[in-house]
Amino acid sequence: MTKRYFHYQSLEQLEQEIRQLNLQIPLESNLERLQAYLGRPVKIGPFTAGNSMAIHPMEGCDGTPIGQPDELVFRRYERFARGGAKLLWFEATAVVPEGRANPRQLLINDFNAKSLEALLHRTRLAHQEVYGTTSDLVEVLQLTHSGRYSTPLPLLGQRHPVLDKVTFLDRKKGVTIPQDYPILSDGYLEQLEDRFVEAARLAREIGFKGVDIKLTHGYLGNELLGAKTRPGRYGGCLENRSRFVTNVLAKIRGTLGPEFLLASRLGVFDSVPYMLDTATQIGKPRAFPIPYPFGFGVNEKNPLEPDLNEPRQVIAMLRRLGVTLINISMGNPYANPHIGRPFEKPDEGNYFPPEHPLIGVDRHFRLCAELQKAFPDLVMVGTGYSWLQHFQLHAGAANIRDGRVTMMGIGRGALAYPNFARDALTKGTLDTSHTCKTLTFCTYLMRQKGHPLGQFPTGCPPFDKEVYGPLVKQARTHKS
Ligand SMILES: Cc1cc2nc3c(=O)[nH]c(=O)nc-3n(C[C@H](O)[C@H](O)[C@H](O)COP(=O)(O)O)c2cc1C
Ligand code: SF4
């Protein structure tokens, strides 16, 4: 029930388990080569990142109530900047107030622009202090609308017979959305396109090198890509389902010109919603209909299986519109967290993994490799490395070596160990007493709403104890 999976004392032991599970995760064992692959500069559009390591976008849920960065936000990015990864992917930032995922999510608008500029400035300063330059640092801002996960009201891209049953109008009272709950109108989506364009314009004015139009994790951009049953101009065929993102990108390109980097974090496999099996504490799929016209990147006849046909078509569209950087992700953190971030232990009340986490890591690497091989000219950032702890470096270097990805992206691992990139390049190895153990306290904090501002900030309580240790204690005594 509470099985621990990660038990490897050596690379050989990990290799052995990979073989036993019949997986094909490559690992680079030579330290010099490992450092050379991870240290390889990457040309991204008109910019160059000084090495092949990226920090994934990660919300701290710690902005001010109006969506400006607060002290913990500055602290997080200064730590990342000092850590040495050369692609800093700034977290999900809402483009409209009603599309925020929590009351402390960052929000980009005219009023908040200066504070985001200050965040970027302090981040660069921190990098400059350690490395003497920021000329090889690439900073991208993730733009989002949280769709069905917006607060206070869910804003739906489509009706979804499985997810709707667990989409709450009032979580405290356990009230889910009613049968006649509306989806967002075509008119709303059309004007939202312009809000994304305006946000991109502000991001460029502030000094970001590019923006990511977020298309993953069940948020609006991702939900629309899978909205096969939505009527009207934004649903049904793939051309309609991709209309939102293609319109946004075409308008940004038309307004901001080719020097501004266009990126997207793309969920290439939604899978289906899971639930806790109370008898075993392990996750199991919720009942789903077949055929399953509700997800993106899934086989309609068996949505537990990926189908990359449409993700390939969407990537081709994005590329035609000038996107040069794609961050491959998958899953939905609310509905099937083991898909997006393979973990050892769930957040409290959630399910234990229904598969060996190495299978999830392999799925990330495999799907990313397929897409990278299909689009070798695009810079792809891979996900799913943190569960491997210090062996992440061996996997990242090997995936880069084999042309399966261009950059290794680190999420939770960077909250726990922001200096991972510096240590990778100077020592070729990570200090195992600092690596993320995927015990999911960060997600626990993210889900806690009993804070006076309606949301607890998140970070890494085990390895960034000073700040987040007390916050976990506080969250436990102020349960919402
Ligand atoms: C606390 C936390 C916040 C996150 N915020 C975002 C976000 O703002 N945007 C995003 O695309 N993904 C977000 N993610 C997902 C991560 O970027 C990443 O995809 C995931 O953690 C898996 O990578 P890892 O195994 O290296 O952690 C978040 C994850 C965590 C744990
Ligand atoms: S709380 Fe820290 S160690 Fe645990 S999963 Fe999150 S980042 Fe990793």
Side-chain angles (χ1 to χ4, degrees):
M1 178 167 86
T2 57
K3 183 171 169 185
R4 284 294 169 92
Y5 294 94
F6 191 98
H7 55 80
Y8 320 110
Q9 301 296 324
S10 67
L11 200 59
E12 291 70 37
Q13 287 183 8
L14 173 60
E15 278 169 337
Q16 197 182 351
E17 184 122 293
I18 290 170
R19 273 194 303 277
Q20 272 166 9
L21 290 167
N22 223 355
L23 305 174
Q24 262 135 36
I25 298 173
L27 299 166
E28 173 58 66
S29 56
N30 178 289
L31 285 200
E32 272 175 30
R33 285 202 292 268
L34 175 153
Q35 285 170 301
Y37 288 121
L38 294 176
R40 194 150 83 174
V42 178
K43 188 152 173 14
I44 314 175
F47 307 104
T48 299
N51 59 42
S52 297
M53 288 175 279
I55 296 196
H56 280 314
M58 267 175 306
E59 280 186 77
C61 310
D62 47 4
T64 67
I66 61 165
Q68 298 187 350
D70 210 342
E71 261 326 293
L72 285 178
V73 185
F74 286 98
R75 178 181 182 272
R76 181 167 54 263
Y77 285 94
E78 284 171 344
R79 281 159 59 91
F80 288 162
R82 284 194 284 266
K86 292 290 186 175
L87 173 57
L88 297 184
W89 206 297
F90 282 63
E91 69 201 66
T93 300
V95 302
V96 287
E98 73 274 15
R100 292 168 88 190
N102 68 71
R104 300 183 73 176
Q105 187 173 45
L106 297 182
L107 172 67
I108 184 165
N109 56 28
D110 278 325
F111 191 75
N112 289 350
K114 279 272 165 242
S115 64
L116 289 163
E117 186 174 17
L119 174 65
L120 187 58
H121 178 69
R122 271 176 59 177
T123 304
R124 285 191 182 142
L125 217 56
H127 193 78
Q128 172 90 28
E129 275 165 19
V130 181
Y131 303 97
T133 181
T134 56
S135 64
D136 60 353
L137 186 69
V138 177
E139 314 91 348
V140 169
L141 180 66
Q142 183 173 72
L143 301 179
T144 192
H145 182 298
S146 305
R148 84 170 45 236
Y149 300 107
S150 300
T151 182
L153 285 179
L155 300 170
L156 308 187
Q158 68 166 343
R159 294 305 307 238
H160 188 305
V162 191
L163 273 182
D164 286 358
K165 291 192 186 115
V166 282
T167 301
F168 289 94
L169 259 189
D170 186 336
R171 183 172 288 276
K172 269 189 199 159
K173 294 189 182 143
V175 179
T176 53
I177 50 172
Q179 281 290 330
D180 57 353
Y181 197 74
I183 56 171
L184 289 171
S185 69
D186 285 3
Y188 179 90
L189 294 178
E190 202 173 328
Q191 63 79 34
L192 183 63
E193 289 171 8
D194 293 330
R195 301 284 73 74
F196 270 80
V197 179
E198 177 56 15
R201 189 191 62 73
L202 282 172
R204 190 173 83 158
E205 212 170 278
I206 288 164
F208 280 100
K209 302 223 167 48
V211 287
D212 153 20
I213 309 303
K214 185 173 189 177
L215 301 175
T216 191
H217 301 164
Y219 297 110
L220 185 60
N222 175 227
E223 181 155 283
L224 287 173
L225 283 180
K228 294 176 185 162
T229 61
R230 181 190 163 96
R233 281 179 289 126
Y234 293 89
C237 62
L238 186 60
E239 188 192 344
N240 282 359
R241 284 181 274 132
S242 53
R243 187 179 305 284
F244 180 77
V245 63
T246 53
N247 280 353
V248 168
L249 287 167
K251 288 185 196 178
I252 294 178
R253 220 358 129 234
T255 327
L256 300 184
E259 290 303 300
F260 191 56
L261 200 62
L262 294 183
S264 186
R265 191 153 209 221
L266 179 66
V268 298
F269 169 51
D270 287 355
S271 189
V272 300
Y274 276 63
M275 63 188 286
L276 174 76
D277 181 337
T278 47
T280 61
Q281 301 301 311
I282 294 173
K284 65 175 183 188
R286 290 179 182 274
F288 55 83
I290 294 286
Y292 186 78
F294 303 106
F296 184 64
V298 298
N299 175 349
E300 279 194 24
K301 295 190 189 114
N302 176 8
L304 297 168
E305 267 180 24
D307 178 348
L308 291 185
N309 184 25
E310 289 199 341
R312 258 191 228 100
Q313 294 183 55
V314 167
I315 292 174
M317 288 179 205
L318 301 184
R319 183 172 64 167
R320 273 199 296 280
L321 288 161
V323 169
T324 48
L325 175 63
I326 305 232
N327 187 325
I328 302 290
S329 191
M330 57 191 71
N332 173 327
Y334 306 91
N336 51 26
H338 68 287
I339 302 279
R341 45 180 164 77
F343 57 82
E344 202 66 9
K345 188 180 101 15
D347 49 316
E348 268 170 45
N350 219 328
Y351 62 74
F352 277 82
E355 63 187 6
H356 193 303
L358 262 179
I359 294 175
V361 170
D362 175 72
R363 184 183 299 112
H364 267 286
F365 293 175
R366 204 163 27 84
L367 300 191
C368 179
E370 266 192 56
L371 294 166
Q372 180 72 85
K373 300 261 181 195
F375 299 93
D377 58 322
L378 289 177
V379 174
M380 293 206 179
V381 179
T383 302
Y385 288 87
S386 290
W387 183 82
L388 290 169
Q389 300 189 20
H390 53 298
F391 300 120
Q392 64 184 246
L393 303 186
H394 301 268
N399 279 330
I400 293 168
R401 176 194 70 202
D402 298 346
R404 291 160 55 95
V405 74
T406 314
M407 301 184 83
M408 171 180 77
I410 300 294
R412 292 160 297 174
L415 290 177
Y417 193 150
N419 293 336
F420 75 92
R422 195 194 314 169
D423 283 359
L425 296 182
T426 54
K427 303 177 189 159
T429 181
L430 300 182
D431 177 347
T432 54
S433 62
H434 285 155
T435 48
C436 167
K437 305 294 184 288
T438 68
L439 303 176
T440 316
F441 291 103
C442 44
T443 306
Y444 168 77
L445 273 174
M446 239 179 152
R447 303 281 177 253
Q448 302 311 308
K449 310 292 174 190
H451 188 277
L453 295 180
Q455 171 66 51
F456 269 91
T458 188
C460 179
F463 298 110
D464 193 3
K465 275 199 184 74
E466 205 185 322
V467 171
Y468 296 99
L471 282 167
V472 166
K473 283 196 190 130
Q474 209 183 324
R476 293 223 159 93
T477 50
H478 292 82
K479 279 204 184 281
S480 51

